[in-house]
């Protein structure tokens, strides 16, 4: 599990071509909602360590977040073989995220 949002994001074509389970997390390091979601994420990630995780810094003009129509932070997008299977916005409980992990469990 990643701990810091990074400004360097992969290209959308790279995400679409990804094989296997992938979690995209959009947010910002200074965002209070994003910080509050980290404990539930850590709990939900337990047992899902095989899932690739991109923690993408989002904001105006950031093309990856716009391509997924991200409006609020944090937004978690669960993908399997490049296809979105679930989306969770501003989770407060690990159970909220566990539903997404269940959708991409191979």
């Amino acid at each position: 599990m990643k701990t810091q949002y990074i400004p360097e994001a992969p290209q959308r074509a790279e995400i679409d071509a990804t094989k296997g389970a992938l979690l995209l997390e959009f947010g910002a390091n200074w965002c209070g909602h994003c910080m509050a979601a980290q404990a539930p994420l850590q709990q939900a990630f337990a047992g899902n360590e095989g899932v690739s995780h991109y923690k993408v810094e989002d904001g105006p003009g950031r093309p990856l977040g716009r391509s997924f129509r991200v409006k609020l932070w944090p937004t978690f997008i669960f993908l399997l073989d490049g296809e979105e299977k679930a989306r969770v916005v501003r989770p407060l409980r690990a159970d909220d995220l566990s539903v997404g992990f269940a959708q991409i469990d191979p």
Side-chain angles (χ1 to χ4, degrees):
M1 184 182 110
K2 308 281 185 200
T3 58
Q4 293 291 311
Y5 293 98
I6 56 168
E8 300 82 25
Q11 297 294 316
R12 177 64 190 256
E14 181 183 337
I15 297 298
D16 291 343
T18 300
K19 297 296 180 204
L22 172 66
L23 171 60
L24 285 178
E25 178 184 351
F26 292 94
N29 292 315
W30 51 263
C31 167
H33 295 287
C34 300
M35 288 184 255
Q38 296 314 296
L41 175 62
Q42 187 173 17
Q43 292 172 351
F45 220 96
N48 293 294
E49 290 82 6
V51 174
S52 296
H53 181 208
Y54 284 106
K55 198 171 184 90
V56 180
E57 185 177 272
D58 193 39
R62 302 284 176 121
L64 188 60
R66 302 301 64 77
S67 74
F68 280 99
R69 294 185 173 92
V70 171
K71 303 263 188 228
L72 296 172
W73 300 332
T75 294
F76 297 85
I77 300 176
F78 297 84
L79 300 109
L80 184 60
D81 295 332
E83 182 181 334
E84 183 175 336
K85 298 295 185 181
R87 181 180 293 231
V88 178
V89 178
R90 291 189 176 173
L92 298 175
R93 301 173 307 131
D95 290 346
D96 299 334
L97 292 160
S98 294
V99 171
F101 280 110
Q103 297 298 311
I104 60 172
D105 186 11

